[in-house]
Amino acid sequence: EALVADEVPGAVVAGDDDGLVVGVPGTAPNHVTDAEVIERLAAVAGLPRSAVVAVSLGGDLVPRTRSGKVDHGAVLAAGRS
């Protein structure tokens, strides 16, 4: 997440055994979906490029649980749909 935060403030990362999903709030710069950024994220994570997906979360808010933490399940679901 630190690398993503450097590249795109406000973005969050969720992952599972299938890979990583980078959730980008609608107000973040569009460059996070550029192949170069995704390539760097995959390399740092030690994953193939195909295992890293960037998705716009829409609006300006990252999904949160009732306790205010990032809803990683919702971010994963957005990237897998």
Side-chain angles (χ1 to χ4, degrees), residues 1-8 13 41:
E1 284 195 341
L3 176 64
V4 173
D6 288 343
E7 293 285 340
V8 184
V13 177
L41 296 174

Side-chain angles (χ1 to χ4, degrees), residues 16-43:
D16 60 14
D17 291 342
D18 294 324
L20 295 176
V21 173
V22 180
V24 183
T27 57
N30 291 332
H31 76 275
V32 74
T33 57
D34 289 350
E36 183 179 319
V37 174
I38 298 300
E39 291 285 339
R40 278 200 309 270
L41 296 174

